Amino acid sequence: TQPAFAAGELERMRPRWVAQARQAFDDPGELAARYADHLLYGPGHPLGRLPDPGPAMAVRREDLVAFHARHYTPRGALLVVAGDVEPDRVLDLVRRHLGGWEGPSAQGGPPSPQGAAGLIPPARLEGSRVQFVEWPGQTQVRVELRQPGPPVTADDWLAVRVYNYILGGGAFASRLMDVMRVQLGSTYDVHSYYSGYRFGSHWVLSTYTRNDQVWKALEVLQAELARFYRDGITQQELEDARGFYVGSYPMRLETAADLAQAISDAIWQGRGLEWVSLFPVRAAQLRQEEVQAAIRRHFDPERFAVTLLGDPSVLQSAPARVWGVPAQQVQRVARPRGDG
């Protein structure tokens, strides 16, 4: 509640921040993911910023003080305690250590879903966008797909989680793994997930493939995503997904820390304790038509932000259209370096 922000501590942390920013330039997967977010959100959004050591070099103590004063206030703060504790004792400790906590937003309810920074979800894609980040010498091409998704507060968020599990979130139980690895043999790993922000999420697909297989892999991947939207899920796929969520849920609450995290997540998402206690029931009762409706509502089979990272020679064999975009309109980006 009253941090000192000692100048010496700032200077000790600065090299670590710089090193973390520069690490992204040497990791193909990390760099591809950062450029994919940049393509979806744009440079003006915090989630669209590319790795840059500059801000870490320029940040001043007064910047930290101002940020803390603006965002670290009692408004919207949440404390969850789980374990073998005495509630009265916990309340005494809270009053003693946090009773005097004040701030410009001490009065009022919880913050808006946009959060203190006023974040907004990415705009709807008018059409697919494709960029190729050039990294000479790479023997594989990293593939990252993005598209806007619903906020984690959506009423059908559970249905969204289930259909993504079936599509690409369920490891070897997912369609994408079956199509891309088992059938095509183009990759060892392909997975998808929703970021799950309160202001609006985005859908992520990540994979990689050999240089000589990239265009065939993209063709198969695009066709499978279109088929998923067109045909939806089967009843057997739903039963398997429900079994996973119901069966694995107790393991997610094994420790006091797990339980506290589940409760805080539910409250932060605008849900109550009932969401935690009845989650397996809701998962078991989810109907096929509910999941199909969520796919139709939130998944777009035609508009993606596509990022490829690899050796630029791969583009010499590119088809006339890459994910529906004319090959000559694919944005080419030279690999940035973090030593500047």
Side-chain angles (χ1 to χ4, degrees):
T1 59
Q2 297 177 333
F5 293 117
E9 293 183 4
L10 173 58
E11 294 310 314
R12 282 193 294 271
M13 290 297 299
R14 195 186 303 277
R16 184 184 302 178
W17 296 335
V18 172
Q20 289 174 343
R22 287 177 174 167
Q23 283 177 356
F25 295 98
D26 297 322
D27 184 329
E30 173 69 13
L31 193 61
R34 296 291 290 272
Y35 265 93
D37 293 343
H38 178 77
L39 184 63
L40 179 64
Y41 283 94
H45 196 286
L47 295 177
R49 294 173 184 161
L50 294 172
D52 181 7
M57 296 293 292
V59 67
R60 303 164 301 172
R61 179 184 181 276
E62 49 264 40
D63 298 323
L64 303 181
V65 172
F67 186 91
H68 178 271
R70 185 165 62 252
H71 297 294
Y72 284 74
T73 71
R75 182 182 182 223
L78 175 65
L79 174 65
V80 177
V81 180
D84 185 9
V85 298
E86 299 177 8
D88 291 341
R89 173 62 174 160
V90 172
L91 291 175
D92 288 342
L93 291 170
V94 171
R95 293 188 183 101
R96 184 189 312 168
H97 295 287
L98 299 177
W101 190 15
E102 297 180 354
S105 302
Q107 301 298 321
S112 68
Q114 287 74 31
L119 298 181
I120 59 174
R124 182 177 182 270
L125 293 170
E126 296 302 321
S128 288
R129 309 171 189 166
V130 182
Q131 67 177 349
F132 193 100
V133 181
E134 301 177 352
W135 190 326
Q138 291 290 302
T139 59
Q140 296 177 326
V141 177
R142 298 278 174 167
V143 179
E144 296 281 340
L145 269 61
R146 302 287 189 273
Q147 73 172 210
V152 71
T153 55
D155 291 339
D156 58 356
W157 183 249
L158 178 56
V160 171
R161 290 176 60 181
V162 166
Y163 82 61
N164 180 71
Y165 174 87
I166 294 169
L167 177 60
F172 280 95
S174 73
R175 284 195 188 181
L176 292 178
M177 185 68 82
D178 179 64
V179 170
M180 302 297 292
R181 176 171 175 168
V182 178
Q183 297 183 30
L184 186 62
S186 66
T187 186
Y188 283 104
D189 177 54
V190 56
H191 61 273
S192 67
Y193 64 89
Y194 278 94
S195 58
Y197 296 117
R198 294 176 66 206
F199 61 86
S201 65
H202 61 267
W203 181 75
V204 173
L205 182 147
S206 298
T207 189
Y208 58 88
T209 188
R210 295 200 322 262
N211 291 353
D212 61 344
Q213 286 188 313
V214 61
W215 306 122
K216 179 61 177 179
L218 288 181
E219 178 186 344
V220 171
L221 182 59
Q222 188 174 17
E224 183 60 28
L225 296 178
R227 186 175 76 87
F228 180 76
Y229 179 84
R230 182 185 68 246
D231 299 341
I233 66 169
T234 67
Q235 183 63 33
Q236 185 60 54
E237 287 175 324
L238 174 59
E239 292 176 5
D240 292 343
R242 289 189 307 199
F244 167 78
Y245 279 107
V246 172
S248 65
Y249 193 67
M251 292 184 288
R252 295 175 53 202
L253 304 177
E254 282 187 318
T255 68
D258 292 337
L259 181 59
Q261 184 68 58
I263 292 173
S264 61
D265 286 348
I267 295 175
W268 189 247
Q269 294 168 9
R271 301 179 173 96
L273 298 182
E274 186 182 71
W275 174 263
V276 179
S277 60
L278 295 182
F279 182 89
V281 177
R282 288 194 173 95
Q285 294 176 345
L286 196 62
R287 303 190 309 275
Q288 185 177 7
E289 55 266 31
E290 293 177 289
V291 179
Q292 310 284 38
I295 295 172
R296 296 285 177 173
R297 187 177 299 114
H298 301 300
F299 190 75
D300 188 336
E302 298 180 353
R303 299 172 181 87
F304 295 89
V306 182
T307 295
L308 309 175
L309 182 148
D311 191 296
S313 65
V314 171
L315 290 171
Q316 297 175 6
S317 60
R321 303 182 75 85
V322 178
W323 210 278
V325 175
Q328 63 271 22
Q329 295 181 17
V330 172
Q331 179 184 357
R332 299 179 64 164
V333 181
R335 175 199 173 192
R337 298 186 178 275
D339 52 4

